[in-house]
Amino acid sequence: MSETALSDEGVLSEAQMLRDLVRDMNANSERRNEAQLAQQAKDRRSKNIRFTIMVLGIGSMLAFYMYGFFVLNGGLSSSTPSGPYAAVVQLKGTIAEGSPANAITVSRGLSKAFKDPNAEGIVLYINSPGGSLVQSAIIYDRIQALKAEFPEKKIVTVATDTIASGAFWVASATDAIYVDRSTIAGSIGVVSSQFGFSDLIERYGVERRVFTAGESKASLDSFSPITDGDREKMAEILGEIHQHFIDSVKTGRGDRLDLTTEGLFEGEVWTGGEAVQFGLVDGLGDIIGVMESEFGVEHAKDYSVRPPVLERLLGLAAESAVDGIAAQFETLPIQ
């Protein structure tokens, strides 16, 4: 083969190489463009998702606040009405230290309500199954003290779904109690409960080791068998608290109580209609009607003291669940 032929073949080979190189470069460029387009589309989707989450989050927060005002606050306003009004303090949910219905918070609201010179009267607005009897007794005593300090002020209770146990203890300090016909009322009694695991740990070969300084320090331990002495001590404690409850109700309700009512002080509950018959409450009515009949007003100013709405919504459920579980192992709640 001649040198000219070889040279031509070399040129052709180089040209082919250049064509292949250009083709590869174009292919790589197309792949890069496709990757860039894909990444841009992915970024747009990510931004859209973040925007959607942000909108939903803001909407949820607004919904929480709306729920907090209309449900947790009962739709009552803390602003001063233009016309005559009653001062309202709400007591809702379980009465317990750490909950919105605790002695300090409710007492502060009551003090502000009594001290308002423009309020025609005070309404204690209750929907509660009770709770801590100590917290309830503190609120009861505070109402009695405020009534003595402001004898010209009248305070009445209006209950909705439930006014039981500690909530009824509190209400009995007020001048009158009004309920709905279907309200659950009463439960003048004391209860303490816990779990016992002594047989369970014995079954699985678990040894319980407790060291105390003081013979009774580990009494009623959930992982140890209950003794006759434990039962006697608890009966003594519950009996004393129960008597305190009974004495307070008798003092507050006076001769309006029908003391011949079977189960009156035995933890029984009744509907609102029955409670009227037994003198546990004074009549049937809702907050609007009671404000008109008792104080001649249509408006209310809410003096309830509460933590921020969002804090209540997000925190109370978790705290209550944790405290409720822990209480079964570490404490002996009395209600």
Side-chain angles (χ1 to χ4, degrees):
M1 185 177 294
S2 69
E3 292 182 0
T4 301
L6 289 172
S7 176
D8 291 341
E9 290 179 359
V11 170
L12 291 172
S13 178
E14 289 178 359
Q16 182 62 43
M17 290 175 62
L18 287 172
R19 286 194 296 271
D20 292 343
L21 179 60
V22 170
R23 186 179 64 249
D24 291 343
M25 290 175 63
N26 290 335
N28 289 335
S29 177
E30 290 177 358
R31 283 194 293 270
R32 283 195 299 271
N33 289 337
E34 291 175 356
Q36 289 175 355
L37 291 172
Q39 183 62 43
Q40 290 173 359
K42 183 178 179 180
D43 291 342
R44 284 195 297 271
R45 287 195 298 270
S46 179
K47 289 179 180 179
N48 289 338
I49 291 173
R50 288 197 297 269
F51 179 76
T52 302
I53 292 174
M54 182 181 70
V55 170
L56 290 174
I58 294 173
S60 298
M61 290 180 65
L62 290 173
F64 272 130
Y65 278 105
M66 292 293 289
Y67 175 86
F69 180 79
F70 287 106
V71 178
L72 295 179
N73 292 349
L76 294 170
S77 173
S78 58
S79 60
T80 302
S82 57
Y85 62 88
V88 175
V89 177
Q90 300 188 59
L91 193 162
K92 294 188 175 182
T94 302
I95 303 171
E97 188 172 3
S99 79
N102 66 79
I104 293 176
T105 298
V106 176
S107 295
R108 283 176 177 169
L110 288 166
S111 294
K112 291 179 180 180
F114 268 94
K115 291 176 182 178
D116 183 351
N118 299 315
E120 299 297 327
I122 299 99
V123 176
L124 182 59
Y125 195 32
I126 293 180
N127 182 12
S128 171
S132 165
L133 296 184
V134 173
Q135 295 282 309
S136 303
I138 292 171
I139 301 171
Y140 175 99
D141 291 342
R142 184 59 184 156
I143 293 173
Q144 295 284 43
L146 288 167
K147 287 170 62 178
E149 184 179 353
F150 300 93
E152 75 284 1
K153 290 284 189 179
K154 185 175 184 180
I155 178 172
V156 301
T157 293
V158 177
T160 54
D161 299 274
T162 309
I163 179 172
S165 194
F168 188 82
W169 189 334
V170 170
S172 64
T174 64
D175 296 311
I177 303 174
Y178 295 92
V179 298
D180 182 79
R181 179 180 173 183
S182 296
T183 300
I184 299 301
S187 189
I188 305 172
V190 184
V191 61
S192 175
S193 61
Q194 64 173 164
F195 293 108
F197 300 97
S198 57
D199 290 342
L200 180 65
I201 63 174
E202 182 179 356
R203 181 182 306 169
Y204 288 96
V206 179
E207 180 184 2
R208 173 70 165 166
R209 295 174 180 175
V210 181
F211 305 96
T212 67
E215 183 179 351
S216 301
K217 188 62 179 177
S219 295
L220 302 172
D221 177 71
S222 295
F223 296 93
S224 301
I226 191 169
T227 66
D228 291 339
D230 293 335
R231 291 188 177 90
E232 291 174 3
K233 186 61 178 179
M234 280 306 301
E236 177 185 340
I237 292 173
L238 295 180
E240 184 174 347
I241 297 172
H242 190 200
Q243 191 58 53
H244 183 191
F245 193 170
I246 294 170
D247 292 343
S248 297
V249 172
K250 285 183 175 180
T251 299
R253 298 299 297 165
D255 57 10
R256 289 171 290 182
L257 276 177
D258 181 0
L259 298 178
T260 65
T261 303
E262 185 177 353
L264 183 63
F265 299 129
E266 300 301 327
E268 287 284 353
V269 295
W270 295 272
T271 62
E274 293 173 318
V276 173
Q277 299 175 30
F278 305 143
L280 285 168
V281 304
D282 297 281
L284 304 180
D286 58 48
I287 188 169
I288 302 300
V290 169
M291 287 194 302
E292 291 178 349
S293 62
E294 287 283 358
F295 308 120
V297 301
E298 297 180 357
H299 303 291
K301 181 175 181 179
D302 189 9
Y303 276 100
S304 308
V305 178
R306 304 180 187 83
V309 172
L310 194 59
E311 179 182 332
R312 282 182 287 154
L313 288 169
L314 299 180
L316 282 179
E319 290 176 7
S320 298
V322 172
D323 291 346
I325 294 171
Q328 300 298 338
F329 294 88
E330 299 175 359
T331 64
L332 192 66
I334 296 176
Q335 299 179 343

